[in-house]
């Protein structure tokens, strides 16, 4: 954190840039990891020529990034689906709770009204 700067409130335009930067860094980390794995694989196959090793490395990295992208997209879709399900359930529970509170308040008012009427009748 930079001295003298306060964090931006949630929902401001800066968060889009931060999300984009975070996505770029995450993609770069996945690419670097795939590159290391491909190089390790090629190191275990000493009979490959340099051109073959480079071709295998490139193919492995592309395929690994495709798989990673598919997994991330699937995860994001499922997260969105779960979010909608949870929000619907939350709204349903909230409505039910509101109905119960309203019924409870009505019951209390009826009891207070009945007690008040009884008290008036008994004091006459």
């Amino acid at each position: 954190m930079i001295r003298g700067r306060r964090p931006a409130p949630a929902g401001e335009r800066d968060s889009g840039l931060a999300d984009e930067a975070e996505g770029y860094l995450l993609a770069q980390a996945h690419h670097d990891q795939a590159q290391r794995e491909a190089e390790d694989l090629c190191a275990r196959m000493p009979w490959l020529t340099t051109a073959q090793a480079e071709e295998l490395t490139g193919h492995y990295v592309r395929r690994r990034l495709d798989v990673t992208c598919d997994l991330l997209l699937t995860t994001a879709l499922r997260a969105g689906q779960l979010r909608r399900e949870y929000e619907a359930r939350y709204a349903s529970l909230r409505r039910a709770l509101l109905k119960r509170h309203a019924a409870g308040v009505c019951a209390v008012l009826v009891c207070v009204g009945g007690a008040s009427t009884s008290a008036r009748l008994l004091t006459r």
Side-chain angles (χ1 to χ4, degrees):
M1 184 169 179
I2 298 173
R3 178 174 278 158
R5 264 183 91 177
R6 60 186 170 91
E12 281 199 13
R13 287 179 240 185
D14 294 341
S15 67
L17 181 60
D19 290 344
E20 192 173 328
E22 181 182 13
Y24 173 79
L25 292 173
L26 182 63
Q28 191 62 41
H30 281 285
H31 182 273
D32 292 345
Q33 178 65 31
Q35 184 75 29
R36 284 191 299 274
E37 289 174 6
E39 289 168 358
D40 288 344
L41 177 65
C42 289
R44 284 185 257 141
M45 294 188 264
W47 61 87
L48 293 176
T49 65
T50 304
Q52 290 172 329
E54 288 175 0
E55 184 179 344
L56 180 62
T57 299
H59 177 72
Y60 181 90
V61 168
R62 281 190 303 278
R63 184 67 186 128
R64 171 77 191 288
L65 292 178
D66 288 344
V67 169
T68 300
C69 185
D70 289 344
L71 288 172
L72 289 173
L73 288 174
T74 302
T75 301
L77 290 173
R78 181 63 179 144
Q81 182 184 25
L82 286 174
R83 180 184 181 106
R84 287 187 297 278
E85 289 175 13
Y86 288 141
E87 285 175 349
R89 180 67 177 145
Y90 177 76
S92 172
L93 291 172
R94 192 171 171 185
R95 279 191 300 277
L97 186 62
L98 180 62
K99 289 177 185 177
R100 288 182 188 143
H101 277 92
V105 168
C106 289
V108 168
L109 290 174
V110 167
C111 289
V112 168
S116 175
T117 302
S118 298
R120 280 189 191 161
L121 290 176
L122 289 176
T123 56
R124 282 191 182 178

